[in-house]
Amino acid sequence: MSLLVAHSVFMKQKKFIYHYRNLRWAFGRHETYLCYIVKRRDSPTSYSLDFGFLRNRSGCHVEVLFLRYMSAWQIDPHLSYSVTWFCSWSPCFSCALHLAQFLSEHPNLRLRIFAARLYFCEETNSEPEGLRRLKAAGAHIAVMTFKDYFYCWHTFVASQDREFKAWEGLNANSIRLARKLRRILQPVDEIDDLRDAFKLLGF
């Protein structure tokens, strides 16, 4: 396991529910948690695996901490890597740029990001553009669904065989956030075309 994994290999139940709850207004949740799975294809029949979770500390965002962790893998350009994240917040603009640069330097690495909530993704902020650049760099970005929460609960949480139970609004908020993310990830010229069409229609 990574030395950067939080206090134990598995997250406490209350901590997971508090930080990953996909609320419309997530007040007080200033930390970002990141559950990860890293797979390296060593041969056609075998691969190496690591998993765990991180959180931001001492002013360093969790995405940057993960990139430091990946440097310990000494990425081999001749092998294929698959990285999956389950994040409590989507990356900020700066972290998205760091990740896009990392992916451009490692074309043999595939990154999938599933976010519980979207971080400051109003149009007046730079975060939407960061996500678009990250997608252009090859990252798959999506909003967590019940299936993802269920998987995380049984993979990263000290669930003690307790079944994951959806909180009120989980599915509705997931659908709402997914729609918002789809709008964000549209190319800017397509968004402008839609706005022009709405103006012509009088909306």
Side-chain angles (χ1 to χ4, degrees):
M1 292 298 160
S2 163
L3 294 178
L4 291 174
V5 173
H7 304 292
S8 65
V9 174
F10 297 103
M11 198 183 306
K12 293 180 180 178
Q13 296 177 20
K14 290 183 178 180
K15 191 172 291 291
F16 175 79
I17 292 173
Y18 178 78
H19 284 284
Y20 278 83
R21 201 175 183 115
N22 61 348
L23 300 171
R24 180 181 288 269
W25 308 110
F27 297 113
R29 289 160 173 81
H30 303 299
E31 289 184 312
T32 299
Y33 277 74
L34 186 160
C35 298
Y36 66 86
I37 296 177
V38 179
K39 292 182 180 180
R40 181 182 64 202
R41 177 63 66 180
D42 297 319
S43 73
T45 58
S46 66
Y47 61 85
S48 301
L49 172 69
D50 193 13
F51 74 99
F53 73 91
L54 307 171
R55 64 175 174 84
N56 55 316
R57 1 178 124 205
S58 303
C60 186
H61 286 196
V62 70
E63 295 89 346
V64 176
L65 287 175
F66 183 85
L67 293 182
R68 292 178 185 174
Y69 154 73
M70 278 303 297
S71 67
W73 277 65
Q74 298 180 340
I75 298 175
D76 187 332
H78 303 293
L79 299 177
S80 297
Y81 295 78
S82 174
V83 178
T84 302
W85 287 2
F86 300 94
C87 308
S88 57
W89 288 105
S90 61
C92 70
F93 178 74
S94 177
C95 287
L97 296 189
H98 281 301
L99 291 169
Q101 178 65 29
F102 179 79
L103 291 175
S104 69
E105 294 170 355
H106 301 93
N108 56 321
L109 186 146
R110 181 172 63 113
L111 174 63
R112 299 188 304 159
I113 299 174
F114 298 90
R117 298 181 301 271
L118 301 178
Y119 180 78
F120 283 106
C121 278
E122 288 70 32
E123 288 189 19
T124 53
N125 296 328
S126 57
E127 272 64 32
E129 176 60 22
L131 295 183
R132 285 190 287 270
R133 294 191 191 184
L134 186 52
K135 179 189 176 185
H140 170 83
I141 310 171
V143 168
M144 288 179 67
T145 64
F146 174 84
K147 180 181 68 174
D148 301 314
Y149 283 104
F150 183 89
Y151 176 80
C152 286
W153 182 262
H154 291 284
T155 305
F156 303 104
V157 178
S159 58
Q160 300 173 337
D161 296 326
R162 178 185 171 190
E163 284 298 313
F164 175 72
K165 293 184 179 179
W167 48 81
E168 184 179 355
L170 185 155
N171 291 322
N173 285 338
S174 179
I175 292 170
R176 176 182 57 81
L177 289 167
R179 288 172 177 166
K180 183 174 183 178
L181 180 62
R182 280 197 299 272
R183 291 194 298 270
I184 288 170
L185 296 180
Q186 281 183 297
V188 174
D189 55 347
E190 289 186 15
I191 296 173
D192 291 338
D193 288 344
L194 284 173
R195 285 175 180 159
D196 291 342
F198 287 147
K199 286 180 182 178
L200 288 173
L201 291 170
F203 292 113

